[in-house]
PDB file of all heavy atoms in Angstrom:
ATOM      1  N   ARG P 236     -26.315-185.062-159.853  1.00  0.00           N
ATOM      2  CA  ARG P 236     -27.358-184.269-159.200  1.00  0.00           C
ATOM      3  C   ARG P 236     -27.449-184.529-157.688  1.00  0.00           C
ATOM      4  O   ARG P 236     -28.539-184.571-157.127  1.00  0.00           O
ATOM      5  CB  ARG P 236     -28.722-184.514-159.862  1.00  0.00           C
ATOM      6  CG  ARG P 236     -28.704-184.189-161.356  1.00  0.00           C
ATOM      7  CD  ARG P 236     -30.064-184.407-161.996  1.00  0.00           C
ATOM      8  NE  ARG P 236     -31.037-183.413-161.549  1.00  0.00           N
ATOM      9  CZ  ARG P 236     -31.082-182.162-162.003  1.00  0.00           C
ATOM     10  NH1 ARG P 236     -30.250-181.761-162.914  1.00  0.00           N
ATOM     11  NH2 ARG P 236     -31.999-181.337-161.563  1.00  0.00           N
ATOM     12  N   GLN P 237     -26.296-184.729-157.097  1.00  0.00           N
ATOM     13  CA  GLN P 237     -26.286-184.998-155.655  1.00  0.00           C
ATOM     14  C   GLN P 237     -25.590-183.866-154.891  1.00  0.00           C
ATOM     15  O   GLN P 237     -24.549-183.370-155.319  1.00  0.00           O
ATOM     16  CB  GLN P 237     -25.543-186.307-155.373  1.00  0.00           C
ATOM     17  CG  GLN P 237     -25.648-186.764-153.926  1.00  0.00           C
ATOM     18  CD  GLN P 237     -25.152-188.188-153.735  1.00  0.00           C
ATOM     19  OE1 GLN P 237     -23.983-188.473-153.941  1.00  0.00           O
ATOM     20  NE2 GLN P 237     -26.051-189.065-153.317  1.00  0.00           N
ATOM     21  N   ALA P 238     -26.214-183.459-153.778  1.00  0.00           N
ATOM     22  CA  ALA P 238     -25.549-182.543-152.848  1.00  0.00           C
ATOM     23  C   ALA P 238     -24.660-183.414-151.979  1.00  0.00           C
ATOM     24  O   ALA P 238     -25.145-184.322-151.304  1.00  0.00           O
ATOM     25  CB  ALA P 238     -26.582-181.819-152.000  1.00  0.00           C
ATOM     26  N   PHE P 239     -23.376-183.149-152.008  1.00  0.00           N
ATOM     27  CA  PHE P 239     -22.434-184.056-151.352  1.00  0.00           C
ATOM     28  C   PHE P 239     -21.783-183.364-150.165  1.00  0.00           C
ATOM     29  O   PHE P 239     -21.091-182.349-150.309  1.00  0.00           O
ATOM     30  CB  PHE P 239     -21.382-184.510-152.373  1.00  0.00           C
ATOM     31  CG  PHE P 239     -20.632-185.724-151.926  1.00  0.00           C
ATOM     32  CD1 PHE P 239     -21.301-186.922-151.733  1.00  0.00           C
ATOM     33  CD2 PHE P 239     -19.263-185.671-151.691  1.00  0.00           C
ATOM     34  CE1 PHE P 239     -20.622-188.069-151.313  1.00  0.00           C
ATOM     35  CE2 PHE P 239     -18.577-186.804-151.263  1.00  0.00           C
ATOM     36  CZ  PHE P 239     -19.258-188.005-151.085  1.00  0.00           C
ATOM     37  N   ILE P 240     -22.021-183.879-148.976  1.00  0.00           N
ATOM     38  CA  ILE P 240     -21.545-183.238-147.741  1.00  0.00           C
ATOM     39  C   ILE P 240     -20.262-183.926-147.278  1.00  0.00           C
ATOM     40  O   ILE P 240     -20.247-185.150-147.114  1.00  0.00           O
ATOM     41  CB  ILE P 240     -22.623-183.315-146.642  1.00  0.00           C
ATOM     42  CG1 ILE P 240     -23.923-182.646-147.127  1.00  0.00           C
ATOM     43  CG2 ILE P 240     -22.138-182.666-145.356  1.00  0.00           C
ATOM     44  CD1 ILE P 240     -25.060-182.703-146.127  1.00  0.00           C
ATOM     45  N   VAL P 241     -19.224-183.111-147.082  1.00  0.00           N
ATOM     46  CA  VAL P 241     -17.953-183.698-146.667  1.00  0.00           C
ATOM     47  C   VAL P 241     -17.435-183.052-145.383  1.00  0.00           C
ATOM     48  O   VAL P 241     -17.793-181.929-145.038  1.00  0.00           O
ATOM     49  CB  VAL P 241     -16.864-183.545-147.771  1.00  0.00           C
ATOM     50  CG1 VAL P 241     -17.309-184.208-149.063  1.00  0.00           C
ATOM     51  CG2 VAL P 241     -16.505-182.080-148.014  1.00  0.00           C
ATOM     52  N   PHE P 242     -16.584-183.795-144.704  1.00  0.00           N
ATOM     53  CA  PHE P 242     -15.874-183.292-143.527  1.00  0.00           C
ATOM     54  C   PHE P 242     -14.401-183.232-143.905  1.00  0.00           C
ATOM     55  O   PHE P 242     -13.867-184.189-144.449  1.00  0.00           O
ATOM     56  CB  PHE P 242     -16.115-184.246-142.358  1.00  0.00           C
ATOM     57  CG  PHE P 242     -15.441-183.837-141.091  1.00  0.00           C
ATOM     58  CD1 PHE P 242     -15.879-182.722-140.388  1.00  0.00           C
ATOM     59  CD2 PHE P 242     -14.356-184.560-140.597  1.00  0.00           C
ATOM     60  CE1 PHE P 242     -15.251-182.332-139.218  1.00  0.00           C
ATOM     61  CE2 PHE P 242     -13.724-184.177-139.426  1.00  0.00           C
ATOM     62  CZ  PHE P 242     -14.173-183.064-138.732  1.00  0.00           C
ATOM     63  N   GLY P 243     -13.726-182.128-143.635  1.00  0.00           N
ATOM     64  CA  GLY P 243     -12.363-181.964-144.106  1.00  0.00           C
ATOM     65  C   GLY P 243     -12.378-181.432-145.534  1.00  0.00           C
ATOM     66  O   GLY P 243     -13.375-180.850-145.970  1.00  0.00           O
ATOM     67  N   ASP P 244     -11.298-181.643-146.244  1.00  0.00           N
ATOM     68  CA  ASP P 244     -11.198-181.112-147.612  1.00  0.00           C
ATOM     69  C   ASP P 244     -10.655-182.210-148.528  1.00  0.00           C
ATOM     70  O   ASP P 244      -9.541-182.116-149.053  1.00  0.00           O
ATOM     71  CB  ASP P 244     -10.252-179.890-147.595  1.00  0.00           C
ATOM     72  CG  ASP P 244     -10.325-179.109-148.892  1.00  0.00           C
ATOM     73  OD1 ASP P 244     -11.144-179.461-149.767  1.00  0.00           O
ATOM     74  OD2 ASP P 244      -9.540-178.154-149.031  1.00  0.00           O
ATOM     75  N   PRO P 245     -11.456-183.265-148.719  1.00  0.00           N
ATOM     76  CA  PRO P 245     -10.937-184.420-149.450  1.00  0.00           C
ATOM     77  C   PRO P 245     -10.810-184.147-150.948  1.00  0.00           C
ATOM     78  O   PRO P 245     -11.499-183.285-151.479  1.00  0.00           O
ATOM     79  CB  PRO P 245     -12.012-185.488-149.204  1.00  0.00           C
ATOM     80  CG  PRO P 245     -13.267-184.709-148.998  1.00  0.00           C
ATOM     81  CD  PRO P 245     -12.863-183.431-148.338  1.00  0.00           C
ATOM     82  N   ASP P 246      -9.924-184.907-151.591  1.00  0.00           N
ATOM     83  CA  ASP P 246      -9.780-184.812-153.049  1.00  0.00           C
ATOM     84  C   ASP P 246     -10.840-185.723-153.674  1.00  0.00           C
ATOM     85  O   ASP P 246     -10.799-186.940-153.516  1.00  0.00           O
ATOM     86  CB  ASP P 246      -8.369-185.281-153.426  1.00  0.00           C
ATOM     87  CG  ASP P 246      -8.161-185.174-154.926  1.00  0.00           C
ATOM     88  OD1 ASP P 246      -9.063-184.639-155.621  1.00  0.00           O
ATOM     89  OD2 ASP P 246      -7.103-185.624-155.400  1.00  0.00           O
ATOM     90  N   LEU P 247     -11.799-185.125-154.339  1.00  0.00           N
ATOM     91  CA  LEU P 247     -12.921-185.916-154.872  1.00  0.00           C
ATOM     92  C   LEU P 247     -12.807-186.142-156.377  1.00  0.00           C
ATOM     93  O   LEU P 247     -13.676-186.744-156.986  1.00  0.00           O
ATOM     94  CB  LEU P 247     -14.250-185.207-154.566  1.00  0.00           C
ATOM     95  CG  LEU P 247     -14.584-185.080-153.079  1.00  0.00           C
ATOM     96  CD1 LEU P 247     -15.740-184.120-152.870  1.00  0.00           C
ATOM     97  CD2 LEU P 247     -14.909-186.435-152.473  1.00  0.00           C
ATOM     98  N   GLY P 248     -11.742-185.658-156.989  1.00  0.00           N
ATOM     99  CA  GLY P 248     -11.596-185.820-158.439  1.00  0.00           C
ATOM    100  C   GLY P 248     -12.626-184.983-159.163  1.00  0.00           C
ATOM    101  O   GLY P 248     -13.007-183.900-158.703  1.00  0.00           O
ATOM    102  N   THR P 249     -13.117-185.478-160.281  1.00  0.00           N
ATOM    103  CA  THR P 249     -14.088-184.717-161.075  1.00  0.00           C
ATOM    104  C   THR P 249     -15.476-184.848-160.453  1.00  0.00           C
ATOM    105  O   THR P 249     -15.916-185.954-160.148  1.00  0.00           O
ATOM    106  CB  THR P 249     -14.139-185.262-162.520  1.00  0.00           C
ATOM    107  OG1 THR P 249     -12.796-185.414-162.960  1.00  0.00           O
ATOM    108  CG2 THR P 249     -14.891-184.330-163.442  1.00  0.00           C
ATOM    109  N   ILE P 250     -16.145-183.714-160.282  1.00  0.00           N
ATOM    110  CA  ILE P 250     -17.490-183.737-159.687  1.00  0.00           C
ATOM    111  C   ILE P 250     -18.516-183.999-160.807  1.00  0.00           C
ATOM    112  O   ILE P 250     -18.509-183.304-161.826  1.00  0.00           O
ATOM    113  CB  ILE P 250     -17.800-182.377-159.012  1.00  0.00           C
ATOM    114  CG1 ILE P 250     -16.702-182.013-157.999  1.00  0.00           C
ATOM    115  CG2 ILE P 250     -19.170-182.381-158.352  1.00  0.00           C
ATOM    116  CD1 ILE P 250     -16.491-183.025-156.907  1.00  0.00           C
ATOM    117  N   PRO P 251     -19.376-185.007-160.641  1.00  0.00           N
ATOM    118  CA  PRO P 251     -20.339-185.322-161.700  1.00  0.00           C
ATOM    119  C   PRO P 251     -21.337-184.193-161.944  1.00  0.00           C
ATOM    120  O   PRO P 251     -21.494-183.286-161.118  1.00  0.00           O
ATOM    121  CB  PRO P 251     -21.067-186.559-161.187  1.00  0.00           C
ATOM    122  CG  PRO P 251     -20.435-186.945-159.936  1.00  0.00           C
ATOM    123  CD  PRO P 251     -19.506-185.883-159.486  1.00  0.00           C
ATOM    124  N   GLN P 252     -22.038-184.315-163.067  1.00  0.00           N
ATOM    125  CA  GLN P 252     -22.982-183.284-163.496  1.00  0.00           C
ATOM    126  C   GLN P 252     -24.055-182.993-162.444  1.00  0.00           C
ATOM    127  O   GLN P 252     -24.653-183.914-161.891  1.00  0.00           O
ATOM    128  CB  GLN P 252     -23.676-183.778-164.749  1.00  0.00           C
ATOM    129  CG  GLN P 252     -24.592-182.748-165.336  1.00  0.00           C
ATOM    130  CD  GLN P 252     -24.497-182.770-166.839  1.00  0.00           C
ATOM    131  OE1 GLN P 252     -24.468-183.831-167.435  1.00  0.00           O
ATOM    132  NE2 GLN P 252     -24.460-181.603-167.425  1.00  0.00           N
ATOM    133  N   GLY P 253     -24.260-181.725-162.185  1.00  0.00           N
ATOM    134  CA  GLY P 253     -25.340-181.323-161.274  1.00  0.00           C
ATOM    135  C   GLY P 253     -25.028-181.575-159.815  1.00  0.00           C
ATOM    136  O   GLY P 253     -25.844-181.286-158.941  1.00  0.00           O
ATOM    137  N   ALA P 254     -23.862-182.148-159.548  1.00  0.00           N
ATOM    138  CA  ALA P 254     -23.497-182.380-158.144  1.00  0.00           C
ATOM    139  C   ALA P 254     -22.764-181.153-157.604  1.00  0.00           C
ATOM    140  O   ALA P 254     -22.230-180.350-158.377  1.00  0.00           O
ATOM    141  CB  ALA P 254     -22.619-183.615-158.015  1.00  0.00           C
ATOM    142  N   GLU P 255     -22.785-181.006-156.284  1.00  0.00           N
ATOM    143  CA  GLU P 255     -22.049-179.909-155.662  1.00  0.00           C
ATOM    144  C   GLU P 255     -21.544-180.373-154.300  1.00  0.00           C
ATOM    145  O   GLU P 255     -22.236-181.126-153.601  1.00  0.00           O
ATOM    146  CB  GLU P 255     -22.983-178.692-155.497  1.00  0.00           C
ATOM    147  CG  GLU P 255     -22.257-177.443-155.047  1.00  0.00           C
ATOM    148  CD  GLU P 255     -23.198-176.219-154.959  1.00  0.00           C
ATOM    149  OE1 GLU P 255     -24.224-176.170-155.671  1.00  0.00           O
ATOM    150  OE2 GLU P 255     -22.869-175.326-154.167  1.00  0.00           O
ATOM    151  N   VAL P 256     -20.375-179.888-153.917  1.00  0.00           N
ATOM    152  CA  VAL P 256     -19.788-180.313-152.646  1.00  0.00           C
ATOM    153  C   VAL P 256     -20.054-179.259-151.573  1.00  0.00           C
ATOM    154  O   VAL P 256     -19.920-178.057-151.819  1.00  0.00           O
ATOM    155  CB  VAL P 256     -18.262-180.525-152.791  1.00  0.00           C
ATOM    156  CG1 VAL P 256     -17.664-181.017-151.478  1.00  0.00           C
ATOM    157  CG2 VAL P 256     -17.979-181.528-153.908  1.00  0.00           C
ATOM    158  N   PHE P 257     -20.471-179.699-150.405  1.00  0.00           N
ATOM    159  CA  PHE P 257     -20.732-178.805-149.263  1.00  0.00           C
ATOM    160  C   PHE P 257     -19.788-179.204-148.133  1.00  0.00           C
ATOM    161  O   PHE P 257     -19.741-180.367-147.748  1.00  0.00           O
ATOM    162  CB  PHE P 257     -22.199-178.918-148.826  1.00  0.00           C
ATOM    163  CG  PHE P 257     -23.153-178.421-149.874  1.00  0.00           C
ATOM    164  CD1 PHE P 257     -23.589-179.272-150.890  1.00  0.00           C
ATOM    165  CD2 PHE P 257     -23.590-177.109-149.878  1.00  0.00           C
ATOM    166  CE1 PHE P 257     -24.457-178.813-151.886  1.00  0.00           C
ATOM    167  CE2 PHE P 257     -24.453-176.641-150.864  1.00  0.00           C
ATOM    168  CZ  PHE P 257     -24.884-177.494-151.867  1.00  0.00           C
ATOM    169  N   TYR P 258     -19.076-178.205-147.624  1.00  0.00           N
ATOM    170  CA  TYR P 258     -18.025-178.480-146.640  1.00  0.00           C
ATOM    171  C   TYR P 258     -18.526-178.200-145.219  1.00  0.00           C
ATOM    172  O   TYR P 258     -18.821-177.050-144.889  1.00  0.00           O
ATOM    173  CB  TYR P 258     -16.805-177.615-146.932  1.00  0.00           C
ATOM    174  CG  TYR P 258     -16.175-177.946-148.266  1.00  0.00           C
ATOM    175  CD1 TYR P 258     -16.585-177.287-149.429  1.00  0.00           C
ATOM    176  CD2 TYR P 258     -15.190-178.924-148.359  1.00  0.00           C
ATOM    177  CE1 TYR P 258     -16.022-177.606-150.663  1.00  0.00           C
ATOM    178  CE2 TYR P 258     -14.620-179.252-149.584  1.00  0.00           C
ATOM    179  CZ  TYR P 258     -15.040-178.589-150.728  1.00  0.00           C
ATOM    180  OH  TYR P 258     -14.487-178.902-151.944  1.00  0.00           O
ATOM    181  N   LEU P 259     -18.569-179.227-144.381  1.00  0.00           N
ATOM    182  CA  LEU P 259     -18.953-179.029-142.977  1.00  0.00           C
ATOM    183  C   LEU P 259     -17.859-178.271-142.234  1.00  0.00           C
ATOM    184  O   LEU P 259     -18.142-177.403-141.422  1.00  0.00           O
ATOM    185  CB  LEU P 259     -19.173-180.377-142.292  1.00  0.00           C
ATOM    186  CG  LEU P 259     -20.476-181.101-142.615  1.00  0.00           C
ATOM    187  CD1 LEU P 259     -20.431-182.520-142.068  1.00  0.00           C
ATOM    188  CD2 LEU P 259     -21.674-180.358-142.029  1.00  0.00           C
ATOM    189  N   SER P 260     -16.615-178.647-142.499  1.00  0.00           N
ATOM    190  CA  SER P 260     -15.481-177.925-141.924  1.00  0.00           C
ATOM    191  C   SER P 260     -14.234-178.319-142.691  1.00  0.00           C
ATOM    192  O   SER P 260     -13.760-179.450-142.558  1.00  0.00           O
ATOM    193  CB  SER P 260     -15.317-178.267-140.438  1.00  0.00           C
ATOM    194  OG  SER P 260     -14.067-177.794-139.979  1.00  0.00           O
ATOM    195  N   LYS P 261     -13.716-177.394-143.479  1.00  0.00           N
ATOM    196  CA  LYS P 261     -12.519-177.711-144.278  1.00  0.00           C
ATOM    197  C   LYS P 261     -11.339-178.035-143.385  1.00  0.00           C
ATOM    198  O   LYS P 261     -10.492-178.829-143.736  1.00  0.00           O
ATOM    199  CB  LYS P 261     -12.175-176.539-145.206  1.00  0.00           C
ATOM    200  CG  LYS P 261     -13.053-176.512-146.446  1.00  0.00           C
ATOM    201  CD  LYS P 261     -12.452-175.602-147.505  1.00  0.00           C
ATOM    202  CE  LYS P 261     -13.320-175.658-148.753  1.00  0.00           C
ATOM    203  NZ  LYS P 261     -12.886-174.763-149.805  1.00  0.00           N
ATOM    204  N   LYS P 262     -11.298-177.389-142.204  1.00  0.00           N
ATOM    205  CA  LYS P 262     -10.149-177.643-141.317  1.00  0.00           C
ATOM    206  C   LYS P 262     -10.412-178.803-140.352  1.00  0.00           C
ATOM    207  O   LYS P 262      -9.697-178.974-139.366  1.00  0.00           O
ATOM    208  CB  LYS P 262      -9.766-176.370-140.574  1.00  0.00           C
ATOM    209  CG  LYS P 262     -10.888-175.800-139.721  1.00  0.00           C
ATOM    210  CD  LYS P 262     -10.440-174.579-138.948  1.00  0.00           C
ATOM    211  CE  LYS P 262     -11.525-174.187-137.984  1.00  0.00           C
ATOM    212  NZ  LYS P 262     -11.562-172.850-137.559  1.00  0.00           N
ATOM    213  N   SER P 263     -11.454-179.585-140.654  1.00  0.00           N
ATOM    214  CA  SER P 263     -11.773-180.784-139.863  1.00  0.00           C
ATOM    215  C   SER P 263     -12.032-180.494-138.389  1.00  0.00           C
ATOM    216  O   SER P 263     -11.586-181.240-137.514  1.00  0.00           O
ATOM    217  CB  SER P 263     -10.667-181.850-139.985  1.00  0.00           C
ATOM    218  OG  SER P 263     -10.525-182.245-141.316  1.00  0.00           O
ATOM    219  N   SER P 264     -12.744-179.385-138.112  1.00  0.00           N
ATOM    220  CA  SER P 264     -13.136-179.121-136.723  1.00  0.00           C
ATOM    221  C   SER P 264     -14.575-179.618-136.529  1.00  0.00           C
ATOM    222  O   SER P 264     -15.486-179.222-137.265  1.00  0.00           O
ATOM    223  CB  SER P 264     -13.048-177.614-136.444  1.00  0.00           C
ATOM    224  OG  SER P 264     -14.044-177.227-135.517  1.00  0.00           O
ATOM    225  N   LEU P 265     -14.775-180.483-135.531  1.00  0.00           N
ATOM    226  CA  LEU P 265     -16.126-181.022-135.302  1.00  0.00           C
ATOM    227  C   LEU P 265     -17.070-179.941-134.774  1.00  0.00           C
ATOM    228  O   LEU P 265     -18.262-179.950-135.055  1.00  0.00           O
ATOM    229  CB  LEU P 265     -16.066-182.222-134.355  1.00  0.00           C
ATOM    230  CG  LEU P 265     -15.514-183.509-135.001  1.00  0.00           C
ATOM    231  CD1 LEU P 265     -15.193-184.554-133.954  1.00  0.00           C
ATOM    232  CD2 LEU P 265     -16.496-184.080-136.022  1.00  0.00           C
ATOM    233  N   GLU P 266     -16.541-178.979-133.998  1.00  0.00           N
ATOM    234  CA  GLU P 266     -17.372-177.854-133.510  1.00  0.00           C
ATOM    235  C   GLU P 266     -17.909-177.062-134.704  1.00  0.00           C
ATOM    236  O   GLU P 266     -19.080-176.719-134.758  1.00  0.00           O
ATOM    237  CB  GLU P 266     -16.566-176.896-132.624  1.00  0.00           C
ATOM    238  CG  GLU P 266     -16.367-177.339-131.193  1.00  0.00           C
ATOM    239  CD  GLU P 266     -15.267-178.369-131.069  1.00  0.00           C
ATOM    240  OE1 GLU P 266     -14.502-178.554-132.044  1.00  0.00           O
ATOM    241  OE2 GLU P 266     -15.187-179.016-130.006  1.00  0.00           O
ATOM    242  N   GLU P 267     -17.004-176.776-135.642  1.00  0.00           N
ATOM    243  CA  GLU P 267     -17.426-176.016-136.810  1.00  0.00           C
ATOM    244  C   GLU P 267     -18.441-176.834-137.632  1.00  0.00           C
ATOM    245  O   GLU P 267     -19.428-176.301-138.126  1.00  0.00           O
ATOM    246  CB  GLU P 267     -16.206-175.666-137.676  1.00  0.00           C
ATOM    247  CG  GLU P 267     -16.550-174.763-138.834  1.00  0.00           C
ATOM    248  CD  GLU P 267     -15.325-174.372-139.664  1.00  0.00           C
ATOM    249  OE1 GLU P 267     -14.522-175.252-140.040  1.00  0.00           O
ATOM    250  OE2 GLU P 267     -15.176-173.174-139.931  1.00  0.00           O
ATOM    251  N   ALA P 268     -18.204-178.129-137.732  1.00  0.00           N
ATOM    252  CA  ALA P 268     -19.124-178.993-138.481  1.00  0.00           C
ATOM    253  C   ALA P 268     -20.515-178.975-137.843  1.00  0.00           C
ATOM    254  O   ALA P 268     -21.536-178.886-138.541  1.00  0.00           O
ATOM    255  CB  ALA P 268     -18.587-180.423-138.525  1.00  0.00           C
ATOM    256  N   ALA P 269     -20.558-179.017-136.499  1.00  0.00           N
ATOM    257  CA  ALA P 269     -21.849-178.991-135.802  1.00  0.00           C
ATOM    258  C   ALA P 269     -22.582-177.688-136.107  1.00  0.00           C
ATOM    259  O   ALA P 269     -23.784-177.674-136.389  1.00  0.00           O
ATOM    260  CB  ALA P 269     -21.644-179.147-134.297  1.00  0.00           C
ATOM    261  N   SER P 270     -21.835-176.574-136.077  1.00  0.00           N
ATOM    262  CA  SER P 270     -22.518-175.291-136.269  1.00  0.00           C
ATOM    263  C   SER P 270     -22.933-175.094-137.733  1.00  0.00           C
ATOM    264  O   SER P 270     -23.835-174.326-138.019  1.00  0.00           O
ATOM    265  CB  SER P 270     -21.671-174.129-135.751  1.00  0.00           C
ATOM    266  OG  SER P 270     -20.661-173.834-136.657  1.00  0.00           O
ATOM    267  N   ASN P 271     -22.301-175.798-138.660  1.00  0.00           N
ATOM    268  CA  ASN P 271     -22.688-175.676-140.070  1.00  0.00           C
ATOM    269  C   ASN P 271     -23.735-176.696-140.505  1.00  0.00           C
ATOM    270  O   ASN P 271     -24.287-176.597-141.606  1.00  0.00           O
ATOM    271  CB  ASN P 271     -21.459-175.860-140.974  1.00  0.00           C
ATOM    272  CG  ASN P 271     -20.614-174.611-141.016  1.00  0.00           C
ATOM    273  OD1 ASN P 271     -21.140-173.505-140.858  1.00  0.00           O
ATOM    274  ND2 ASN P 271     -19.328-174.767-141.229  1.00  0.00           N
ATOM    275  N   PHE P 272     -23.978-177.702-139.669  1.00  0.00           N
ATOM    276  CA  PHE P 272     -24.754-178.870-140.093  1.00  0.00           C
ATOM    277  C   PHE P 272     -26.147-178.513-140.631  1.00  0.00           C
ATOM    278  O   PHE P 272     -26.471-178.771-141.792  1.00  0.00           O
ATOM    279  CB  PHE P 272     -24.846-179.847-138.909  1.00  0.00           C
ATOM    280  CG  PHE P 272     -25.665-181.066-139.200  1.00  0.00           C
ATOM    281  CD1 PHE P 272     -25.229-182.015-140.106  1.00  0.00           C
ATOM    282  CD2 PHE P 272     -26.887-181.263-138.562  1.00  0.00           C
ATOM    283  CE1 PHE P 272     -25.998-183.141-140.382  1.00  0.00           C
ATOM    284  CE2 PHE P 272     -27.656-182.390-138.831  1.00  0.00           C
ATOM    285  CZ  PHE P 272     -27.209-183.330-139.736  1.00  0.00           C
ATOM    286  N   PHE P 273     -26.990-177.888-139.789  1.00  0.00           N
ATOM    287  CA  PHE P 273     -28.354-177.575-140.245  1.00  0.00           C
ATOM    288  C   PHE P 273     -28.336-176.487-141.320  1.00  0.00           C
ATOM    289  O   PHE P 273     -29.184-176.481-142.208  1.00  0.00           O
ATOM    290  CB  PHE P 273     -29.253-177.161-139.075  1.00  0.00           C
ATOM    291  CG  PHE P 273     -29.758-178.328-138.267  1.00  0.00           C
ATOM    292  CD1 PHE P 273     -29.484-178.431-136.910  1.00  0.00           C
ATOM    293  CD2 PHE P 273     -30.520-179.322-138.861  1.00  0.00           C
ATOM    294  CE1 PHE P 273     -29.951-179.504-136.160  1.00  0.00           C
ATOM    295  CE2 PHE P 273     -30.994-180.410-138.112  1.00  0.00           C
ATOM    296  CZ  PHE P 273     -30.708-180.499-136.771  1.00  0.00           C
ATOM    297  N   LYS P 274     -27.331-175.589-141.231  1.00  0.00           N
ATOM    298  CA  LYS P 274     -27.241-174.519-142.227  1.00  0.00           C
ATOM    299  C   LYS P 274     -27.062-175.126-143.621  1.00  0.00           C
ATOM    300  O   LYS P 274     -27.727-174.741-144.585  1.00  0.00           O
ATOM    301  CB  LYS P 274     -26.054-173.615-141.885  1.00  0.00           C
ATOM    302  CG  LYS P 274     -26.154-172.268-142.519  1.00  0.00           C
ATOM    303  CD  LYS P 274     -25.122-171.252-142.084  1.00  0.00           C
ATOM    304  CE  LYS P 274     -23.936-171.750-141.327  1.00  0.00           C
ATOM    305  NZ  LYS P 274     -22.939-170.730-141.049  1.00  0.00           N
ATOM    306  N   ILE P 275     -26.196-176.107-143.714  1.00  0.00           N
ATOM    307  CA  ILE P 275     -25.932-176.744-145.010  1.00  0.00           C
ATOM    308  C   ILE P 275     -27.166-177.511-145.489  1.00  0.00           C
ATOM    309  O   ILE P 275     -27.536-177.436-146.668  1.00  0.00           O
ATOM    310  CB  ILE P 275     -24.678-177.647-144.902  1.00  0.00           C
ATOM    311  CG1 ILE P 275     -23.441-176.746-144.864  1.00  0.00           C
ATOM    312  CG2 ILE P 275     -24.604-178.640-146.039  1.00  0.00           C
ATOM    313  CD1 ILE P 275     -22.128-177.471-144.666  1.00  0.00           C
TER     314      ILE P 275
END
Side-chain angles (χ1 to χ4, degrees):
R236 302 181 70 78
Q237 188 168 64
F239 197 63
I240 302 178
V241 301
F242 180 70
D244 192 4
D246 181 6
L247 296 168
T249 313
I250 306 302
Q252 184 141 43
E255 188 177 334
V256 182
F257 295 86
Y258 296 90
L259 284 170
S260 168
K261 281 196 177 176
K262 59 177 188 204
S263 299
S264 147
L265 286 167
E266 280 79 13
E267 186 178 49
S270 77
N271 282 331
F272 178 68
F273 281 121
K274 200 172 14 175
I275 285 176

